[in-house]
Amino acid sequence: MLYKFQSRATPDFVMLEVHARQLLDIVGKPAAPQGIITVEQIPAAIAALESALAREANNSHNHDDHVVEGHANDAEKQHVSLHQRAAPLLHMLRDSLAEEKDVTWST
């Protein structure tokens, strides 16, 4: 399943369910089929994402606690870190805050 994130301040983007659920959990939102991060909630969501990214940066292995050790195969070499997965949502949140627009998602 895919989650589609939208804001009137930015282009839409889609994300796999597993990654969307992780990011929604970080910002304190339930991974419901539809939801909203209001303009008033955006600063806390940004702070939560930045805090999670700072914690991951302390991990010396690709900045991600969930990475597989060894890099023996191509899938492990192409691991996508939390920093990379969070970037689209973080950009959307920042731009939406600047333009005072809510962020929504749907499946």
Side-chain angles (χ1 to χ4, degrees), residues 37-66:
I37 302 172
T38 64
V39 172
E40 295 80 17
Q41 296 168 332
I42 289 176
I46 292 171
L49 280 173
E50 289 175 341
S51 177
L53 294 175
R55 285 191 306 274
E56 292 298 319
N58 290 329
N59 181 341
S60 63
H61 197 337
N62 288 348
H63 307 296
D64 195 333
D65 290 332
H66 305 290

PDB file of all heavy atoms in Angstrom, residues 37-66:
ATOM      1  N   ILE A  37      -1.840  16.934   9.402  1.00  0.00           N
ATOM      2  CA  ILE A  37      -0.954  17.644  10.314  1.00  0.00           C
ATOM      3  C   ILE A  37      -1.282  19.113  10.085  1.00  0.00           C
ATOM      4  O   ILE A  37      -1.004  19.663   9.012  1.00  0.00           O
ATOM      5  CB  ILE A  37       0.532  17.362  10.025  1.00  0.00           C
ATOM      6  CG1 ILE A  37       0.825  15.864  10.102  1.00  0.00           C
ATOM      7  CG2 ILE A  37       1.420  18.132  11.003  1.00  0.00           C
ATOM      8  CD1 ILE A  37       2.218  15.469   9.636  1.00  0.00           C
ATOM      9  N   THR A  38      -1.938  19.718  11.057  1.00  0.00           N
ATOM     10  CA  THR A  38      -2.368  21.103  10.906  1.00  0.00           C
ATOM     11  C   THR A  38      -1.171  22.046  11.007  1.00  0.00           C
ATOM     12  O   THR A  38      -0.105  21.678  11.518  1.00  0.00           O
ATOM     13  CB  THR A  38      -3.405  21.485  11.978  1.00  0.00           C
ATOM     14  OG1 THR A  38      -2.780  21.422  13.263  1.00  0.00           O
ATOM     15  CG2 THR A  38      -4.622  20.571  11.929  1.00  0.00           C
ATOM     16  N   VAL A  39      -1.374  23.250  10.544  1.00  0.00           N
ATOM     17  CA  VAL A  39      -0.320  24.264  10.607  1.00  0.00           C
ATOM     18  C   VAL A  39       0.175  24.417  12.045  1.00  0.00           C
ATOM     19  O   VAL A  39       1.384  24.542  12.283  1.00  0.00           O
ATOM     20  CB  VAL A  39      -0.821  25.617  10.048  1.00  0.00           C
ATOM     21  CG1 VAL A  39       0.192  26.721  10.281  1.00  0.00           C
ATOM     22  CG2 VAL A  39      -1.159  25.498   8.576  1.00  0.00           C
ATOM     23  N   GLU A  40      -0.737  24.362  13.003  1.00  0.00           N
ATOM     24  CA  GLU A  40      -0.367  24.499  14.405  1.00  0.00           C
ATOM     25  C   GLU A  40       0.478  23.326  14.890  1.00  0.00           C
ATOM     26  O   GLU A  40       1.285  23.474  15.807  1.00  0.00           O
ATOM     27  CB  GLU A  40      -1.626  24.625  15.281  1.00  0.00           C
ATOM     28  CG  GLU A  40      -2.424  25.886  15.030  1.00  0.00           C
ATOM     29  CD  GLU A  40      -3.320  25.811  13.784  1.00  0.00           C
ATOM     30  OE1 GLU A  40      -3.587  24.701  13.281  1.00  0.00           O
ATOM     31  OE2 GLU A  40      -3.735  26.876  13.301  1.00  0.00           O
ATOM     32  N   GLN A  41       0.308  22.148  14.305  1.00  0.00           N
ATOM     33  CA  GLN A  41       1.037  20.946  14.714  1.00  0.00           C
ATOM     34  C   GLN A  41       2.376  20.789  13.985  1.00  0.00           C
ATOM     35  O   GLN A  41       3.217  19.987  14.397  1.00  0.00           O
ATOM     36  CB  GLN A  41       0.183  19.701  14.448  1.00  0.00           C
ATOM     37  CG  GLN A  41      -1.088  19.664  15.259  1.00  0.00           C
ATOM     38  CD  GLN A  41      -2.045  18.577  14.778  1.00  0.00           C
ATOM     39  OE1 GLN A  41      -2.044  18.199  13.606  1.00  0.00           O
ATOM     40  NE2 GLN A  41      -2.854  18.068  15.695  1.00  0.00           N
ATOM     41  N   ILE A  42       2.570  21.529  12.918  1.00  0.00           N
ATOM     42  CA  ILE A  42       3.770  21.355  12.097  1.00  0.00           C
ATOM     43  C   ILE A  42       5.067  21.627  12.865  1.00  0.00           C
ATOM     44  O   ILE A  42       6.018  20.835  12.741  1.00  0.00           O
ATOM     45  CB  ILE A  42       3.681  22.178  10.799  1.00  0.00           C
ATOM     46  CG1 ILE A  42       2.628  21.553   9.865  1.00  0.00           C
ATOM     47  CG2 ILE A  42       5.034  22.255  10.102  1.00  0.00           C
ATOM     48  CD1 ILE A  42       2.372  22.343   8.588  1.00  0.00           C
ATOM     49  N   PRO A  43       5.182  22.680  13.672  1.00  0.00           N
ATOM     50  CA  PRO A  43       6.458  22.883  14.382  1.00  0.00           C
ATOM     51  C   PRO A  43       6.857  21.687  15.258  1.00  0.00           C
ATOM     52  O   PRO A  43       8.024  21.292  15.272  1.00  0.00           O
ATOM     53  CB  PRO A  43       6.210  24.139  15.225  1.00  0.00           C
ATOM     54  CG  PRO A  43       5.163  24.891  14.451  1.00  0.00           C
ATOM     55  CD  PRO A  43       4.262  23.806  13.886  1.00  0.00           C
ATOM     56  N   ALA A  44       5.903  21.084  15.943  1.00  0.00           N
ATOM     57  CA  ALA A  44       6.204  19.913  16.772  1.00  0.00           C
ATOM     58  C   ALA A  44       6.591  18.714  15.906  1.00  0.00           C
ATOM     59  O   ALA A  44       7.477  17.937  16.273  1.00  0.00           O
ATOM     60  CB  ALA A  44       5.008  19.566  17.653  1.00  0.00           C
ATOM     61  N   ALA A  45       5.947  18.572  14.755  1.00  0.00           N
ATOM     62  CA  ALA A  45       6.276  17.477  13.845  1.00  0.00           C
ATOM     63  C   ALA A  45       7.698  17.639  13.302  1.00  0.00           C
ATOM     64  O   ALA A  45       8.457  16.664  13.230  1.00  0.00           O
ATOM     65  CB  ALA A  45       5.265  17.413  12.698  1.00  0.00           C
ATOM     66  N   ILE A  46       8.058  18.848  12.929  1.00  0.00           N
ATOM     67  CA  ILE A  46       9.421  19.116  12.455  1.00  0.00           C
ATOM     68  C   ILE A  46      10.430  18.808  13.552  1.00  0.00           C
ATOM     69  O   ILE A  46      11.450  18.152  13.315  1.00  0.00           O
ATOM     70  CB  ILE A  46       9.558  20.575  11.962  1.00  0.00           C
ATOM     71  CG1 ILE A  46       8.739  20.785  10.680  1.00  0.00           C
ATOM     72  CG2 ILE A  46      11.029  20.938  11.739  1.00  0.00           C
ATOM     73  CD1 ILE A  46       8.632  22.242  10.246  1.00  0.00           C
ATOM     74  N   ALA A  47      10.149  19.267  14.763  1.00  0.00           N
ATOM     75  CA  ALA A  47      11.062  19.028  15.892  1.00  0.00           C
ATOM     76  C   ALA A  47      11.224  17.534  16.162  1.00  0.00           C
ATOM     77  O   ALA A  47      12.334  17.059  16.432  1.00  0.00           O
ATOM     78  CB  ALA A  47      10.553  19.750  17.136  1.00  0.00           C
ATOM     79  N   ALA A  48      10.134  16.786  16.077  1.00  0.00           N
ATOM     80  CA  ALA A  48      10.199  15.341  16.312  1.00  0.00           C
ATOM     81  C   ALA A  48      11.045  14.642  15.249  1.00  0.00           C
ATOM     82  O   ALA A  48      11.864  13.774  15.567  1.00  0.00           O
ATOM     83  CB  ALA A  48       8.793  14.752  16.347  1.00  0.00           C
ATOM     84  N   LEU A  49      10.857  15.028  13.981  1.00  0.00           N
ATOM     85  CA  LEU A  49      11.664  14.440  12.908  1.00  0.00           C
ATOM     86  C   LEU A  49      13.144  14.808  13.075  1.00  0.00           C
ATOM     87  O   LEU A  49      14.020  13.943  12.931  1.00  0.00           O
ATOM     88  CB  LEU A  49      11.164  14.901  11.545  1.00  0.00           C
ATOM     89  CG  LEU A  49       9.945  14.181  10.993  1.00  0.00           C
ATOM     90  CD1 LEU A  49       9.458  14.865   9.718  1.00  0.00           C
ATOM     91  CD2 LEU A  49      10.262  12.719  10.716  1.00  0.00           C
ATOM     92  N   GLU A  50      13.416  16.061  13.370  1.00  0.00           N
ATOM     93  CA  GLU A  50      14.809  16.481  13.541  1.00  0.00           C
ATOM     94  C   GLU A  50      15.462  15.768  14.719  1.00  0.00           C
ATOM     95  O   GLU A  50      16.636  15.395  14.655  1.00  0.00           O
ATOM     96  CB  GLU A  50      14.888  17.993  13.705  1.00  0.00           C
ATOM     97  CG  GLU A  50      14.597  18.737  12.420  1.00  0.00           C
ATOM     98  CD  GLU A  50      14.540  20.240  12.563  1.00  0.00           C
ATOM     99  OE1 GLU A  50      14.376  20.736  13.706  1.00  0.00           O
ATOM    100  OE2 GLU A  50      14.658  20.933  11.539  1.00  0.00           O
ATOM    101  N   SER A  51      14.713  15.539  15.781  1.00  0.00           N
ATOM    102  CA  SER A  51      15.232  14.817  16.940  1.00  0.00           C
ATOM    103  C   SER A  51      15.555  13.366  16.576  1.00  0.00           C
ATOM    104  O   SER A  51      16.602  12.835  16.956  1.00  0.00           O
ATOM    105  CB  SER A  51      14.210  14.867  18.076  1.00  0.00           C
ATOM    106  OG  SER A  51      14.656  14.113  19.170  1.00  0.00           O
ATOM    107  N   ALA A  52      14.660  12.724  15.825  1.00  0.00           N
ATOM    108  CA  ALA A  52      14.903  11.338  15.389  1.00  0.00           C
ATOM    109  C   ALA A  52      16.118  11.272  14.478  1.00  0.00           C
ATOM    110  O   ALA A  52      16.933  10.339  14.584  1.00  0.00           O
ATOM    111  CB  ALA A  52      13.667  10.783  14.682  1.00  0.00           C
ATOM    112  N   LEU A  53      16.269  12.244  13.603  1.00  0.00           N
ATOM    113  CA  LEU A  53      17.427  12.276  12.714  1.00  0.00           C
ATOM    114  C   LEU A  53      18.719  12.490  13.498  1.00  0.00           C
ATOM    115  O   LEU A  53      19.754  11.898  13.173  1.00  0.00           O
ATOM    116  CB  LEU A  53      17.255  13.349  11.644  1.00  0.00           C
ATOM    117  CG  LEU A  53      16.121  13.096  10.647  1.00  0.00           C
ATOM    118  CD1 LEU A  53      15.965  14.282   9.704  1.00  0.00           C
ATOM    119  CD2 LEU A  53      16.339  11.810   9.871  1.00  0.00           C
ATOM    120  N   ALA A  54      18.666  13.315  14.532  1.00  0.00           N
ATOM    121  CA  ALA A  54      19.851  13.546  15.363  1.00  0.00           C
ATOM    122  C   ALA A  54      20.250  12.262  16.094  1.00  0.00           C
ATOM    123  O   ALA A  54      21.439  11.945  16.191  1.00  0.00           O
ATOM    124  CB  ALA A  54      19.581  14.671  16.355  1.00  0.00           C
ATOM    125  N   ARG A  55      19.259  11.508  16.586  1.00  0.00           N
ATOM    126  CA  ARG A  55      19.558  10.232  17.241  1.00  0.00           C
ATOM    127  C   ARG A  55      20.191   9.258  16.257  1.00  0.00           C
ATOM    128  O   ARG A  55      21.138   8.552  16.583  1.00  0.00           O
ATOM    129  CB  ARG A  55      18.296   9.626  17.846  1.00  0.00           C
ATOM    130  CG  ARG A  55      17.835  10.297  19.121  1.00  0.00           C
ATOM    131  CD  ARG A  55      16.743   9.515  19.835  1.00  0.00           C
ATOM    132  NE  ARG A  55      15.591   9.217  18.989  1.00  0.00           N
ATOM    133  CZ  ARG A  55      14.558  10.024  18.795  1.00  0.00           C
ATOM    134  NH1 ARG A  55      14.534  11.209  19.367  1.00  0.00           N
ATOM    135  NH2 ARG A  55      13.552   9.659  18.026  1.00  0.00           N
ATOM    136  N   GLU A  56      19.669   9.222  15.045  1.00  0.00           N
ATOM    137  CA  GLU A  56      20.210   8.314  14.028  1.00  0.00           C
ATOM    138  C   GLU A  56      21.622   8.725  13.622  1.00  0.00           C
ATOM    139  O   GLU A  56      22.442   7.881  13.279  1.00  0.00           O
ATOM    140  CB  GLU A  56      19.308   8.280  12.792  1.00  0.00           C
ATOM    141  CG  GLU A  56      17.965   7.628  13.035  1.00  0.00           C
ATOM    142  CD  GLU A  56      18.052   6.169  13.445  1.00  0.00           C
ATOM    143  OE1 GLU A  56      18.872   5.421  12.884  1.00  0.00           O
ATOM    144  OE2 GLU A  56      17.292   5.776  14.332  1.00  0.00           O
ATOM    145  N   ALA A  57      21.920  10.008  13.658  1.00  0.00           N
ATOM    146  CA  ALA A  57      23.248  10.481  13.260  1.00  0.00           C
ATOM    147  C   ALA A  57      24.323   9.980  14.218  1.00  0.00           C
ATOM    148  O   ALA A  57      25.486   9.875  13.838  1.00  0.00           O
ATOM    149  CB  ALA A  57      23.259  12.006  13.202  1.00  0.00           C
ATOM    150  N   ASN A  58      23.939   9.648  15.443  1.00  0.00           N
ATOM    151  CA  ASN A  58      24.895   9.112  16.408  1.00  0.00           C
ATOM    152  C   ASN A  58      25.272   7.664  16.105  1.00  0.00           C
ATOM    153  O   ASN A  58      26.223   7.150  16.675  1.00  0.00           O
ATOM    154  CB  ASN A  58      24.338   9.217  17.820  1.00  0.00           C
ATOM    155  CG  ASN A  58      24.267  10.648  18.283  1.00  0.00           C
ATOM    156  OD1 ASN A  58      25.071  11.483  17.887  1.00  0.00           O
ATOM    157  ND2 ASN A  58      23.286  10.949  19.123  1.00  0.00           N
ATOM    158  N   ASN A  59      24.520   7.010  15.230  1.00  0.00           N
ATOM    159  CA  ASN A  59      24.822   5.646  14.822  1.00  0.00           C
ATOM    160  C   ASN A  59      25.811   5.722  13.671  1.00  0.00           C
ATOM    161  O   ASN A  59      25.530   6.309  12.642  1.00  0.00           O
ATOM    162  CB  ASN A  59      23.527   4.943  14.396  1.00  0.00           C
ATOM    163  CG  ASN A  59      23.749   3.516  13.968  1.00  0.00           C
ATOM    164  OD1 ASN A  59      24.864   3.122  13.649  1.00  0.00           O
ATOM    165  ND2 ASN A  59      22.687   2.743  13.955  1.00  0.00           N
ATOM    166  N   SER A  60      26.952   5.093  13.823  1.00  0.00           N
ATOM    167  CA  SER A  60      28.003   5.213  12.815  1.00  0.00           C
ATOM    168  C   SER A  60      27.745   4.406  11.549  1.00  0.00           C
ATOM    169  O   SER A  60      28.491   4.503  10.592  1.00  0.00           O
ATOM    170  CB  SER A  60      29.344   4.777  13.419  1.00  0.00           C
ATOM    171  OG  SER A  60      29.274   3.410  13.790  1.00  0.00           O
ATOM    172  N   HIS A  61      26.691   3.604  11.521  1.00  0.00           N
ATOM    173  CA  HIS A  61      26.448   2.735  10.376  1.00  0.00           C
ATOM    174  C   HIS A  61      25.296   3.275   9.534  1.00  0.00           C
ATOM    175  O   HIS A  61      24.137   2.988   9.791  1.00  0.00           O
ATOM    176  CB  HIS A  61      26.127   1.325  10.840  1.00  0.00           C
ATOM    177  CG  HIS A  61      26.264   0.298   9.764  1.00  0.00           C
ATOM    178  ND1 HIS A  61      26.192   0.567   8.423  1.00  0.00           N
ATOM    179  CD2 HIS A  61      26.479  -1.019   9.836  1.00  0.00           C
ATOM    180  CE1 HIS A  61      26.342  -0.527   7.738  1.00  0.00           C
ATOM    181  NE2 HIS A  61      26.519  -1.515   8.561  1.00  0.00           N
ATOM    182  N   ASN A  62      25.603   4.082   8.546  1.00  0.00           N
ATOM    183  CA  ASN A  62      24.612   4.672   7.636  1.00  0.00           C
ATOM    184  C   ASN A  62      23.578   5.522   8.357  1.00  0.00           C
ATOM    185  O   ASN A  62      22.501   5.760   7.835  1.00  0.00           O
ATOM    186  CB  ASN A  62      23.886   3.600   6.834  1.00  0.00           C
ATOM    187  CG  ASN A  62      24.764   2.974   5.792  1.00  0.00           C
ATOM    188  OD1 ASN A  62      25.843   3.460   5.507  1.00  0.00           O
ATOM    189  ND2 ASN A  62      24.310   1.891   5.211  1.00  0.00           N
ATOM    190  N   HIS A  63      23.870   5.934   9.565  1.00  0.00           N
ATOM    191  CA  HIS A  63      22.943   6.776  10.325  1.00  0.00           C
ATOM    192  C   HIS A  63      21.573   6.135  10.514  1.00  0.00           C
ATOM    193  O   HIS A  63      20.561   6.809  10.530  1.00  0.00           O
ATOM    194  CB  HIS A  63      22.787   8.152   9.660  1.00  0.00           C
ATOM    195  CG  HIS A  63      24.082   8.823   9.401  1.00  0.00           C
ATOM    196  ND1 HIS A  63      24.937   9.210  10.392  1.00  0.00           N
ATOM    197  CD2 HIS A  63      24.681   9.172   8.240  1.00  0.00           C
ATOM    198  CE1 HIS A  63      26.007   9.765   9.867  1.00  0.00           C
ATOM    199  NE2 HIS A  63      25.881   9.757   8.571  1.00  0.00           N
ATOM    200  N   ASP A  64      21.536   4.813  10.656  1.00  0.00           N
ATOM    201  CA  ASP A  64      20.241   4.143  10.777  1.00  0.00           C
ATOM    202  C   ASP A  64      20.385   2.917  11.664  1.00  0.00           C
ATOM    203  O   ASP A  64      21.202   2.045  11.409  1.00  0.00           O
ATOM    204  CB  ASP A  64      19.733   3.737   9.394  1.00  0.00           C
ATOM    205  CG  ASP A  64      18.262   3.378   9.394  1.00  0.00           C
ATOM    206  OD1 ASP A  64      17.745   2.941  10.445  1.00  0.00           O
ATOM    207  OD2 ASP A  64      17.632   3.545   8.344  1.00  0.00           O
ATOM    208  N   ASP A  65      19.581   2.850  12.717  1.00  0.00           N
ATOM    209  CA  ASP A  65      19.618   1.710  13.631  1.00  0.00           C
ATOM    210  C   ASP A  65      19.151   0.415  12.981  1.00  0.00           C
ATOM    211  O   ASP A  65      19.410  -0.662  13.491  1.00  0.00           O
ATOM    212  CB  ASP A  65      18.716   1.975  14.849  1.00  0.00           C
ATOM    213  CG  ASP A  65      19.288   3.044  15.762  1.00  0.00           C
ATOM    214  OD1 ASP A  65      20.523   3.207  15.797  1.00  0.00           O
ATOM    215  OD2 ASP A  65      18.492   3.713  16.439  1.00  0.00           O
ATOM    216  N   HIS A  66      18.444   0.508  11.864  1.00  0.00           N
ATOM    217  CA  HIS A  66      17.822  -0.670  11.269  1.00  0.00           C
ATOM    218  C   HIS A  66      18.619  -1.264  10.120  1.00  0.00           C
ATOM    219  O   HIS A  66      18.176  -2.196   9.474  1.00  0.00           O
ATOM    220  CB  HIS A  66      16.405  -0.331  10.795  1.00  0.00           C
ATOM    221  CG  HIS A  66      15.577   0.245  11.889  1.00  0.00           C
ATOM    222  ND1 HIS A  66      15.139  -0.495  12.958  1.00  0.00           N
ATOM    223  CD2 HIS A  66      15.148   1.509  12.111  1.00  0.00           C
ATOM    224  CE1 HIS A  66      14.458   0.278  13.786  1.00  0.00           C
ATOM    225  NE2 HIS A  66      14.450   1.501  13.285  1.00  0.00           N
TER     226      HIS A  66
END
